[in-house]
Each structure stands twice: as C-alpha cells, then as structure tokens.
C-alpha cells in the first residue's frame, strides 16, 4: 500500500498542501546569538549571529558581527565544543577530516571577517559536507586573520554557542 503524506502550510488566508516528497531535500537549520562568552573585555559590546543550514549534503554557515573596530580583520572558525569561561573550553577547530592530503582550509570552516566603517562584518562559507550532530558546538572570533598554512588566528576574543547538527 502506498502512503502519501501531506504537509499543510497556512498563511494570508491560503492553505497550501505539499506532498512530503517536496521536502525530500530536508533542511536542518541551526542558530546562535551572542556572544555567549567574551574572553577579552575590549570586545564586550560586540553582538554576533550565526546561522547554519544543511541541505543536499552541504553545510552553509553565515556569521554576522556588529561592534568591531572599523577596518580590522579577525579570524573566526567553527569549534568542536560549546563556549565556556575558559577560552580553551570551546576546543579546537572542527575538522571534517584529518586527512593531511586535504588542505586545512577545506577540512575546517573559516569565517574571517573585516569590519566596515560601521563596525559591521559578515562572512559566509559553504562546504560540501555535513557537520555530524555533537561534533561542533560554537563559533569563535580570534584576534588575527587566519594563517592559511597553520589555521592559527591568535587569541580567542569571543565565542557564540551553536548546536550544529542538533
């Protein structure tokens, strides 16, 4: 027996029925607002938003930051654990693979930002893999731009919790 599932969406006085197959490309969305923790009080007034979504085997991450010093560039990365008062609580950079033949920039999610004259900065990154639930928990803003060889970006300034893949 064939079962058909429909999803009803209502709005503005209209009811739309969609077959469940129309949602086959399942989209999972994760959000973080903060920062959850500020590790350097110079950045106590920044505000962050992280939006992440997965679709069709890819992960898309967008970071928005307000209140940064104009013209400065900061490294930012997805980290393995949630934020904590100890800057190291967020763990290391999330790596999709530990295969050293794959460039580091393709194994991690780097979201370096440069603040405009208004102190606003944003970055987007899309990778062709999905972050497994429970393997990444935050986005950390660092003091320096990301070194393309080592992935290092200096001190951890602020951290925003994001429940990736949850």
């Amino acid at each position: 027996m064939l079962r058909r599932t429909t999803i009803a969406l209502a709005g503005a006085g209209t009811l739309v029925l969609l077959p469940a197959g129309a949602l086959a490309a399942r989209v999972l969305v994760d959000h973080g607002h903060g920062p959850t923790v500020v590790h350097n009080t110079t950045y106590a007034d920044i505000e962050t938003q992280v939006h992440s979504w997965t679709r069709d085997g890819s992960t898309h991450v967008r970071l928005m930051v307000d209140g940064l010093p104009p013209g400065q560039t900061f490294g930012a990365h997805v980290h393995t654990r949630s934020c904590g008062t100890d800057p190291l609580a967020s763990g290391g950079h999330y790596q999709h693979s530990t295969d050293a033949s794959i460039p580091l920039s393709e194994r991690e999610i780097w979201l370096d930002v440069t603040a405009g004259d208004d102190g606003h900065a944003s970055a987007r990154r899309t990778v062709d893999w999905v972050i497994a639930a429970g393997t990444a928990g935050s986005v950390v803003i660092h003091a320096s731009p990301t070194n393309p060889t080592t992935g290092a970006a200096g001190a951890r300034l602020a951290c925003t919790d994001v429940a990736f893949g949850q």
Side-chain angles (χ1 to χ4, degrees), residues 31-41 43-50 63-65 68 74-93 136-143 155-164:
H31 298 288
H33 298 274
T36 306
V37 177
V38 175
H39 301 297
N40 180 322
T41 56
Y43 300 91
D45 293 331
I46 68 168
E47 295 179 9
T48 60
Q49 287 187 45
V50 179
L63 168 65
M64 295 167 285
V65 187
L68 292 171
F74 299 85
H77 313 109
V78 173
H79 279 247
T80 58
R81 296 193 308 248
S82 298
C83 307
T85 55
D86 178 347
L88 299 178
S90 56
H93 297 177
S138 61
V139 170
V140 173
I141 298 173
H142 294 268
R156 299 174 188 205
L157 304 178
C159 181
T160 302
D161 282 337
V162 182
F164 290 97

Side-chain angles (χ1 to χ4, degrees), residues 21-75:
L23 299 175
R26 186 173 164 242
V27 176
L28 178 63
V29 180
D30 306 303
H31 298 288
H33 298 274
T36 306
V37 177
V38 175
H39 301 297
N40 180 322
T41 56
T42 301
Y43 300 91
D45 293 331
I46 68 168
E47 295 179 9
T48 60
Q49 287 187 45
V50 179
H51 301 280
S52 175
W53 61 100
T54 60
R55 181 177 44 227
D56 299 329
S58 293
T59 301
H60 310 266
V61 182
R62 181 175 183 211
L63 168 65
M64 295 167 285
V65 187
D66 283 305
L68 292 171
Q72 290 190 26
T73 299
F74 299 85

